[in-house]
């Protein structure tokens, strides 16, 4: 099997939806050769070959951010249509087709400081800058919490809220999650009641078995997902 042509050093790749790329190319009636030719001719990628395009579509390698933007141009789609569910700050920016300096300028950060946050995955912006970030990247509340690195602390607080007195965790959670207080209280109450229901069921089954509390453990393992489900239901 021939290997894709050598590519210049690039930053980490965004999550790439190989099946979407293959589907979009086929819908346009293009071959890998056509795609590679357009990448070379229109986007200044002399190393782009049919083998590289095929490797992308097979998922054996993934395009970098600039390559993904060029591929989107060739396939007449947005970068977001070629990207898997974004998780990191860089992935959300790439999915929106934005340059780093555009985001940095919009949120009020020096470019070097912003890029450092992308590289480390540690968001250090102020509340005002965080709000601007959520706006420019069109982040949902769950995505905002993930991108700004708040999810581990949120999970810790939610586990405590579910297993102890949920009322004591309304304020700490509200500092991490920009939600209406009434909605937040309802979600925390539901988490607490659901967890207690799992534990009550465990007791009613007689307990003692090594798997008797598996339901409660599983609930706590998925506490963040359960929280967002409760928020959405509220």
């Amino acid at each position: 099997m021939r290997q894709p042509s050598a590519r210049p050093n690039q930053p980490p790749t965004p999550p790439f939806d190989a099946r979407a790329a293959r589907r979009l190319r086929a819908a346009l009636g293009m071959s890998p050769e056509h795609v590679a030719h357009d990448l070379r001719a229109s986007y200044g990628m002399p190393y782009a070959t049919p083998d590289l395009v095929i490797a992308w579509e097979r998922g054996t390698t993934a395009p970098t951010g600039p390559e993904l933007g060029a591929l989107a141009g060739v396939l007449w789609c947005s970068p977001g249509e070629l990207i898997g569910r974004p998780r990191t700050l860089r992935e959300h920016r790439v999915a929106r087709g934005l340059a780093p300096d555009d985001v940095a300028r919009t949120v009020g950060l020096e470019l070097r400081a912003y890029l450092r946050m992308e590289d480390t995955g540690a968001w250090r912006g102020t509340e005002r800058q965080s709000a601007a970030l959520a706006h420019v990247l069109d982040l949902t509340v769950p995505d905002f919490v993930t991108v700004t690195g708040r999810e581990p602390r949120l999970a810790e607080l939610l586990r405590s809220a579910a297993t102890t007195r949920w009322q004591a965790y309304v304020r700490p959670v509200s500092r991490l999650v920009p939600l209406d207080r009434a909605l937040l209280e309802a979600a925390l109450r539901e988490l607490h009641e659901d967890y207690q229901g799992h534990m009550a069921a465990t007791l009613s089954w007689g307990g003692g078995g090594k798997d008797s509390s598996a339901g409660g453990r599983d609930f706590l393992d998925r506490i963040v997902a359960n929280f967002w489900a409760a928020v959405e239901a509220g």
Side-chain angles (χ1 to χ4, degrees):
M1 176 179 172
R2 293 170 61 194
Q3 296 297 317
S5 297
R7 299 144 69 191
N9 292 330
Q10 294 285 1
T13 61
F16 180 63
D17 190 335
R19 287 181 296 179
R22 187 166 57 250
R23 183 181 67 252
L24 288 164
R25 175 181 60 76
L28 292 171
M30 300 178 71
S31 68
E33 288 78 9
H34 292 142
V35 173
H37 175 271
D38 285 356
L39 290 172
R40 292 192 302 270
S42 300
Y43 292 91
M45 294 169 51
Y47 56 89
T49 64
D51 284 343
L52 179 59
V53 175
I54 291 170
W56 288 343
E57 293 185 355
R58 289 178 176 172
T60 57
T61 187
T64 64
E67 290 169 345
L68 187 144
L71 182 61
V74 171
L75 298 179
W76 290 82
C77 66
S78 71
E81 292 178 78
L82 294 174
I83 200 168
R85 184 177 182 274
R87 292 281 299 174
T88 67
L89 180 55
R90 176 178 284 118
E91 290 168 5
H92 278 279
R93 175 180 60 75
V94 171
R96 292 291 166 190
L98 297 171
D101 53 339
D102 291 334
V103 177
R105 182 171 56 254
T106 300
V107 303
L109 286 168
E110 293 184 358
L111 179 58
R112 181 178 299 180
Y114 172 76
L115 289 174
R116 187 180 308 116
M117 294 179 196
E118 276 200 357
D119 291 339
T120 63
W123 175 251
R124 304 295 185 188
T126 65
E127 287 302 312
R128 183 190 64 78
Q129 291 169 332
S130 297
L133 181 75
H135 177 74
V136 71
L137 297 182
D138 195 22
L139 299 174
T140 65
V141 175
D143 285 338
F144 172 78
V145 170
T146 300
V147 163
T148 54
R150 303 179 182 191
E151 192 168 292
R153 175 57 177 163
L154 175 63
E156 179 184 340
L157 292 173
L158 293 177
R159 290 189 188 98
S160 296
T163 56
T164 59
R165 291 184 65 256
W166 65 265
Q167 295 90 339
Y169 293 90
V170 173
R171 180 171 292 181
V173 172
S174 70
R175 295 193 185 105
L176 300 179
V177 182
L179 289 175
D180 174 78
R181 185 181 178 91
L183 179 59
L184 178 58
E185 290 179 350
L188 291 179
R189 183 187 303 113
E190 182 175 337
L191 277 188
H192 179 81
E193 292 174 354
D194 284 353
Y195 176 74
Q196 297 306 320
H198 278 88
M199 299 313 294
T202 296
L203 292 175
S204 71
W205 296 334
K210 65 179 181 179
D211 295 323
S212 62
S213 61
R217 291 197 303 271
D218 183 61
F219 184 85
L220 294 179
D221 287 342
R222 296 182 294 106
I223 194 69
V224 175
N226 291 332
F227 172 70
W228 295 128
V231 168
E232 185 174 350

